[in-house]
């Protein structure tokens, strides 16, 4: 187990899937983890699981696309654990629709949660990180933000935006002691993917250089690395736990 020195992490959208795996991984490494999710019960359940395993966690529910909620999320996390030292912007959702059927409302909601949420949460914690001269921000993008996705134009655009935001903020704040990076997962065995037909999954897996999909825990490993001092030279990067699907 890597010792995080009990640093404080906030993981958004940590009530399920990849975010949950990230929160649990960081907790196992000794971080004190604020677990955000839109669904308060899901956040509470993850907190109980972490505490049951001997880790330290607190629930910080709320909608990352709402400025007032974000202020509350950060306040409730910091009241319990003190200043947030590691922020993982992960909250999001997937919606598949052909571009010609996509409404402007669909597009705006997608951008508001993924890109707006990343903006709001980062804005809420970055000034204090810069004042302290240290901090880490990790944004969960997707390989679809790098290569595009069929019937996923709004999702891909929002994820591409997250990669651009990551690089730009990293250029501005790295000298201030804050490292900002992204991860762009490829096909991962999330609930959604596991719900697709086995045929499709087998065909797609066979096309991957690695021959298999990733697990949420393997994405969490990449995030934990970026959060750690072992990643001291990584700035504005987008690491790709993607089974070799996209090689950049
Ligand atoms: P994945 O399978 O990619 O990990 P999930 O849909 O399982 O994605 O998990 C994403 C999490 O993000 C869900 O628990 C969901 O409730 C949460 N979430 C979605 N939108 C928001 C939001 N606006 N604010 C906070 N959390 C959100």
């Amino acid at each position: 187990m890597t010792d995080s020195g009990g640093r404080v992490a906030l993981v958004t959208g940590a009530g399920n899937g990849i975010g949950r795996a990230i929160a649990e991984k960081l907790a196992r490494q000794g971080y004190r983890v604020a677990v955000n999710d839109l669904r308060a019960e899901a956040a509470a359940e993850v907190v109980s699981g972490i505490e049951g395993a001997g880790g330290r966690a607190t629930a910080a529910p709320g909608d990352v696309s709402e400025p007032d909620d974000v202020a509350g999320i950060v306040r409730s996390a910091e009241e319990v654990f003190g200043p947030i030292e590691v922020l993982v912007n992960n909250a999001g959702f997937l919606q598949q629709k052909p571009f010609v059927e996509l409404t402007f409302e669909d597009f705006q909601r997608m951008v508001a949660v993924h890109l707006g949420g990343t903006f709001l949460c980062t804005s809420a914690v970055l000034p204090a990180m810069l004042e302290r001269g240290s901090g880490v921000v990790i944004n969960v993008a997707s390989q679809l933000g790098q290569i595009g996705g069929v019937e996923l134009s709004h999702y891909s655009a929002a994820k591409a935006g997250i990669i651009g935001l990551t690089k730009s903020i990293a250029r501005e704040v790295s000298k201030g002691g804050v490292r900002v990076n992204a991860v762009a997962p490829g096909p991962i065995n999330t609930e959604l993917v596991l719900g697709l037909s086995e045929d499709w999954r087998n065909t797609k897996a066979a096309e991957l250089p690695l021959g298999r999909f990733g697990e949420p825990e393997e994405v969490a490993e990449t995030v934990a690395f970026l959060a750690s001092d072992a990643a001291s030279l990584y700035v504005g990067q987008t690491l790709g736990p993607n089974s070799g699907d996209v090689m950049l």
Side-chain angles (χ1 to χ4, degrees), residues 12-13 36 38 62-67 69-70 73 91 112-113 116-118 120-121:
T12 70
N36 160 262
L38 187 57
D63 183 340
V64 297
S65 71
E66 291 291 337
D69 278 24
V70 171
I73 291 164
V113 172
T118 300
L120 288 172
C121 293

Side-chain angles (χ1 to χ4, degrees), residues 9 58 69 81 89 115 141 154 158 167 185 196 215 218 229 234:
T58 187
D69 278 24
F81 287 146
N89 286 306
L115 195 47
H154 54 340
K167 291 178 180 172
L196 301 173
E215 298 299 328
E218 294 177 288
D229 292 341
Y234 285 79

Side-chain angles (χ1 to χ4, degrees), residues 2 5 7 10 18 22-23 53 75 95 100 102 116 140 142 172 208 219-220:
T2 314
R7 282 194 293 168
L10 167 62
I18 292 170
I22 293 168
R75 200 182 320 113
Q95 181 195 34
V100 292
L102 213 52
V140 179
S142 162
E172 287 186 35
L208 297 171
V219 178

